[in-house]
Amino acid sequence: MKVSSYFQRIHFIFEQTKRYNPKEVLTLRHIVMMMVSFVSVSIFISCNITNKVNYEYISNTKSDTLTLDKINEIITAIEEVHPNIYADVGKNSIDSAINAVVIRNEGVLLNNADFTLEVRSVLDLLHYADPHLVYYPNIQLRPGDYNPRKYAKRIPRFPFDLFNINDSLIIKTSYAEPLQKGDQILEINGHKAEDFAKYTYSEWRSVGGNIIQMQSQLVYDELFNIKINRKGKEQEVIVKPIPYAKWTGERLYQSKLIHEYKTGYTKILKFSSNTTILKNLKKGIVAAKENGYENYIIDIRGNPGGTGYKLEKILSLLSPKDSLLYMESQIVKVSPRSVNDYDFLKNHKIGELVQLPDSLIIKHIPLQEDLYQGDMNYFVLIDKSTGSTAASFANIIQNNNIGLLVGEPLAHNALMFGDVTKVSKYQNMIVSTMQYNEYTRSKDRQVYPDIYIPYVAKEFIQEHDPILRKTLEYIQHPKENNLMK
């Protein structure tokens, strides 16, 4: 299981034990691990509300200190399980960053969010090497005779999801009038947008309102006074929070025909319920072909991953090949956690790096010939927050010449690590336990688009989806558009 930044971007791992049919894409073990990781993080990101929130239970008290011993404990916890955390940064650089943050915070009391942010001034150097590595705060509640977990789940969420473009927060989806898609958030209850943006990870192009709220823990009020920029005009609106139980979010998948450009389109927000995604994508491709369309867009921007279950069937829709080149090798660090997953590691010492035997690696993805839907020009939309399973999907498409990637490069080392575990050290942490070496087109194993379209904040304020519009214009008039990388 390979999970990318912050909320587990789960990378599909093909069969890694002889107990299962080698044609199965995801083992039972990895399905269970995926579910455990998802549930553990859902405690953080979900706010299932059935009753009115009592705000007196929510606290933002500065009650913790950050010491050298605490940071060293956090670093040691990472080193114990991560196979190559210093892939792109030397330990000396980490030690220097640790000394700086300890000196800066000597004797300073911090709340959960700021404790996390200060630790991240060190860990973000490692996050660049592995975008799966994420450190995030517990919800801070007042002490008392009540169940903290119960009240943590009652916290209402901001009534919107966002685009994060160079720290400009632009509404992607609104769940409360009069907020609209394209509104730029300037302030919320007196806190400027940059106050919220600094708590999130800059490469997350799409971020849920509840995520940015929980990371910053700045606003829990019963009303949100929001200052926005709507197409160049500033205004203030007052909205109520929404209970998570009433929040539906975007559909995980949707297909449509864009007749003006004679193009089919499927949005996959997350690789979840892949059986339904398979049916939905197949239906969309069939409809496009019946209309005589030759171009099809698969949009996985902001897709954090999910499960790899039946992903080989989804890929079978797109390619007539017998199999697709996928994984070259995998490396795991021997630890008490990994020994429980792989029996052969019991013969190795704790801390040792071990390459998985070829019998446990799926080097080629087997396809089903009967699922292939015929020739089509495929364009896959990606961005920096396309991760894990989605990142691998994009890489497989490009490396096997199935279609063109459109958008911006994936996060650095988006393909390289995964199979995460949750570690609790003062706050919460997600750490990779496996290093992957996928076959890629580029020598540095990074994923770059074939057609580069950057994110520009002012464009998202003026129109709903400039990336999609530019992609469609390229499809319609490829020779007139200078978008090729």
Side-chain angles (χ1 to χ4, degrees):
M1 181 176 52
K2 184 177 182 181
V3 185
S4 91
S5 69
Y6 192 50
F7 307 78
Q8 305 10 61
R9 308 186 173 210
I10 299 169
H11 170 64
F12 73 88
I13 301 291
F14 295 100
E15 161 131 49
Q16 298 192 14
T17 171
K18 293 181 179 179
R19 293 177 296 170
Y20 300 100
N21 186 333
K23 292 185 178 180
E24 289 295 323
V25 177
L26 193 66
T27 66
L28 178 61
R29 181 179 67 83
H30 286 98
I31 294 174
V32 172
M33 290 176 65
M34 177 193 71
M35 293 174 65
V36 170
S37 294
F38 177 77
V39 170
S40 65
V41 176
S42 293
I43 293 173
F44 167 65
I45 66 172
S46 298
C47 314
N48 185 19
I49 301 172
T50 57
N51 300 307
K52 179 177 173 61
V53 175
N54 190 334
Y55 288 88
E56 70 183 43
Y57 290 103
I58 300 172
S59 170
N60 206 18
T61 305
K62 297 180 179 180
S63 57
D64 203 355
T65 57
L66 183 57
T67 65
L68 179 61
D69 287 343
K70 289 180 180 179
I71 294 188
N72 282 337
E73 282 186 57
I74 295 169
I75 295 296
T76 299
I78 297 171
E79 293 175 336
E80 286 177 350
V81 297
H82 200 287
N84 190 12
I85 192 57
Y86 300 110
D88 289 300
V89 61
K91 198 170 186 312
N92 289 338
S93 297
I94 298 300
D95 290 339
S96 296
I98 291 174
N99 290 333
V101 73
V102 169
I103 292 172
R104 183 170 68 244
N105 288 281
E106 185 175 1
V108 177
L109 290 176
L110 302 168
N111 58 33
N112 284 4
D114 288 334
F115 182 96
T116 300
L117 189 62
E118 288 298 317
V119 172
R120 276 186 49 197
S121 66
V122 176
L123 297 192
D124 280 6
L125 297 175
L126 302 176
H127 174 79
Y128 174 75
D130 180 5
H132 300 76
L133 178 65
V134 172
Y135 196 65
Y136 60 94
N138 293 305
I139 301 168
Q140 191 159 353
L141 302 170
R142 298 186 190 280
D145 295 327
Y146 60 91
N147 185 331
R149 185 182 296 268
K150 174 182 176 182
Y151 283 94
K153 290 183 177 181
R154 287 186 178 185
I155 297 174
R157 58 163 285 156
F158 287 152
F160 50 74
D161 294 329
L162 297 166
F163 287 117
N164 178 16
I165 306 173
N166 300 325
D167 291 339
S168 292
L169 303 180
I170 301 168
I171 292 180
K172 175 184 178 183
T173 308
S174 170
Y175 307 107
E177 295 182 351
L179 293 175
Q180 298 177 7
K181 184 174 183 177
D183 288 345
Q184 180 184 7
I185 301 292
L186 302 178
E187 290 185 10
I188 303 177
N189 289 19
H191 296 281
K192 294 185 180 299
E194 51 265 33
D195 296 335
F196 295 96
K198 72 179 182 180
Y199 288 95
T200 192
Y201 287 86
S202 61
E203 76 271 17
W204 295 353
R205 283 291 181 240
S206 299
V207 57
N210 59 325
I211 303 306
I212 203 165
Q213 185 181 27
M214 297 301 176
Q215 286 180 293
S216 63
Q217 301 192 27
L218 293 171
V219 177
Y220 294 111
D221 297 333
E222 295 187 65
L223 291 175
F224 300 137
N225 189 329
I226 304 177
K227 182 183 291 186
I228 61 172
N229 167 25
R230 180 173 292 169
K231 297 185 177 180
K233 294 183 179 181
E234 291 189 11
Q235 55 184 284
E236 292 188 16
V237 299
I238 297 177
V239 297
K240 293 181 179 180
I242 58 171
Y244 196 86
K246 293 183 179 179
W247 172 71
T248 56
E250 293 184 75
R251 291 180 58 190
L252 290 178
Y253 37 82
Q254 54 180 309
S255 295
K256 62 181 179 181
L257 296 178
I258 306 176
H259 296 291
E260 180 183 357
Y261 293 91
K262 297 182 179 180
T263 299
Y265 174 91
T266 291
K267 170 73 174 179
I268 304 175
L269 197 64
K270 182 180 180 181
F271 281 104
S272 177
S273 302
N274 286 359
T275 299
T276 306
I277 291 175
L278 174 67
K279 294 178 181 177
N280 188 272
L281 179 58
K282 180 180 178 180
K283 183 178 179 181
I285 296 172
V286 169
K289 294 183 75 68
E290 288 177 347
N291 279 269
Y293 300 166
E294 298 178 351
N295 302 303
Y296 206 93
I297 294 172
I298 301 175
D299 189 348
I300 54 173
R301 291 173 294 169
N303 186 322
T307 172
Y309 179 63
K310 290 194 176 180
L311 198 62
E312 82 284 9
K313 294 182 182 294
I314 295 174
L315 290 165
S316 294
L317 299 174
L318 315 178
S319 174
K321 298 179 180 179
D322 295 331
S323 64
L324 301 175
L325 192 63
Y326 171 54
M327 186 70 70
E328 184 176 358
S329 62
Q330 294 174 219
I331 298 172
V332 63
K333 174 172 280 190
V334 183
S335 70
R337 296 172 188 258
S338 60
V339 166
N340 290 331
D341 293 333
Y342 303 98
D343 289 341
F344 75 92
L345 291 182
K346 294 179 180 178
N347 299 323
H348 297 270
K349 296 180 180 179
I350 297 294
E352 186 178 351
L353 292 177
V354 178
Q355 184 162 310
L356 264 65
D358 287 350
S359 60
L360 300 185
I361 300 172
I362 296 298
K363 293 179 176 289
H364 294 81
I365 304 170
L367 300 186
Q368 292 184 219
E369 183 180 355
D370 59 311
L371 290 176
Y372 179 56
Q373 296 303 300
D375 191 35
M376 182 72 77
N377 300 319
Y378 290 105
F379 301 83
V380 178
L381 302 189
I382 59 173
D383 62 16
K384 289 182 178 179
S385 53
T386 300
S388 196
T389 303
S392 290
F393 179 84
N395 179 56
I396 291 165
I397 292 291
Q398 184 182 63
N399 192 52
N400 289 275
N401 299 309
I402 297 172
L404 298 178
L405 301 186
V406 184
E408 61 182 359
L410 300 187
H412 182 70
N413 287 350
L415 300 174
M416 194 171 181
F417 299 103
D419 206 351
V420 302
T421 186
K422 182 185 176 184
V423 178
S424 294
K425 282 295 177 183
Y426 301 101
Q427 303 300 323
N428 303 290
M429 185 162 54
I430 303 300
V431 186
S432 295
T433 65
M434 185 79 71
Q435 179 173 334
Y436 300 93
N437 296 307
E438 292 189 28
Y439 289 103
T440 62
R441 181 176 294 180
S442 61
K443 293 181 180 179
D444 61 1
R445 296 187 184 275
Q446 308 304 321
V447 178
Y448 305 99
D450 301 290
I451 303 172
Y452 174 60
I453 305 178
Y455 273 69
V456 180
K458 64 180 181 181
E459 293 181 350
F460 277 83
I461 295 172
Q462 295 300 321
E463 60 178 305
H464 286 177
D465 196 341
I467 305 297
L468 178 58
R469 189 253 307 163
K470 291 179 181 180
T471 303
L472 291 167
E473 290 176 351
Y474 172 84
I475 291 173
Q476 191 173 56
H477 304 290
K479 294 182 180 180
E480 299 175 12
N481 287 276
N482 187 25
L483 295 175
M484 290 295 288
K485 177 183 171 183

